[in-house]
Amino acid sequence: MAAKQPPPLMKKHSQTDLVSRLKTRKILGVGGEDDDGEVHRSKISQVLGNEIKFAVREPLGLRVWQLVSAIMFSGVAIMALAFPDQLFDAIFEEESVSSKTPIRLYGGALLSIALIMWNALYTAEKAIIRWSLLAEACYFAVQFLVTTVSLVESSRIATGAVLLLVSRALFILVSIYYYYQVGRRPKKV
């Protein structure tokens, strides 16, 4: 008596069966619209979310402002490190200072802030952009106050220092504007 051969394995073609696929997608909860009106193509995208939703809607000119700030901080930092006498003379229109160390330390601090500005230029994270803008506004506010007190104490008005004060006030306003614009919640369309 010959042994019976088992029947060949039958492959289930549920992946090609359209009705079966639609039933599977309905059970998983994908393919239809969610509460926000988004259509998810897979369960993974539904769980993780759509990265477009979390992208920062940047205000017009933000990246240009960040680039200008990074260049400005870097330029002044290099000038303070390499040519401390010329930087002091350009701002306060006085003869050279007795010690170059404080101006060079100022340049080192500015170089650190410039590094933050360069890194913020290349990020898309809203929190990092906002913190860099806030740090920039705080720096400009402190510099504005220190320069004002120095001018009042010396009772001399230098053209370079007045120009510095006006530019710092403008920079404070622009940085705070972008800080609040980046922090605003986008309007639903």
Side-chain angles (χ1 to χ4, degrees):
M1 186 187 238
K4 273 185 151 181
Q5 293 286 338
L9 294 175
M10 301 279 296
K11 288 186 180 179
K12 190 172 181 184
H13 295 286
S14 65
Q15 291 299 322
T16 58
D17 184 16
L18 181 61
V19 175
S20 179
R21 279 194 326 198
L22 290 175
K23 284 181 184 177
T24 305
R25 292 176 70 76
K26 188 169 187 174
I27 290 170
L28 288 173
V30 295
E33 288 187 9
D34 64 1
D35 296 336
D36 296 330
E38 293 184 21
V39 177
H40 297 282
R41 297 181 184 266
S42 70
K43 196 65 178 175
I44 293 173
S45 70
Q46 187 177 12
V47 171
L48 295 178
N50 189 357
E51 74 262 1
I52 296 172
K53 188 189 323 184
F54 300 110
V56 177
R57 289 194 171 87
E58 297 174 353
L60 189 63
L62 173 67
R63 295 300 180 172
V64 174
W65 174 249
Q66 287 180 308
L67 178 66
V68 167
S69 295
I71 290 171
M72 181 178 55
F73 274 96
S74 300
V76 175
I78 291 169
M79 188 171 175
L81 288 170
F83 312 108
D85 290 332
Q86 288 81 357
L87 180 66
F88 188 82
D89 185 43
I91 295 172
F92 293 106
E93 297 175 358
E94 293 181 12
E95 53 280 342
S96 67
V97 291
S98 58
S99 175
K100 296 178 183 179
T101 305
I103 297 174
R104 287 199 169 123
L105 287 173
Y106 168 72
L110 276 185
L111 199 58
S112 300
I113 295 173
L115 182 64
I116 293 170
M117 297 301 151
W118 282 111
N119 285 323
L121 179 64
Y122 295 109
T123 189
E125 292 186 39
K126 187 176 178 178
I128 293 174
I129 294 171
R130 291 192 79 208
W131 274 105
S132 68
L133 290 167
L134 184 62
E136 187 176 356
C138 289
Y139 165 77
F140 289 138
V142 168
Q143 189 178 36
F144 181 86
L145 292 173
V146 168
T147 307
T148 303
V149 168
S150 297
L151 287 176
V152 169
E153 285 176 351
S154 69
S155 69
R156 289 193 301 179
I157 305 282
T159 308
V162 171
L163 184 62
L164 180 73
L165 288 175
V166 171
S167 67
R168 292 310 177 236
L170 178 67
F171 293 160
I172 291 169
L173 292 175
V174 172
S175 295
I176 290 175
Y177 168 77
Y178 281 124
Y179 175 79
Y180 283 113
Q181 288 299 313
V182 170
R184 281 183 36 204
R185 293 181 181 256
K187 295 178 185 174
K188 287 193 174 183
V189 181

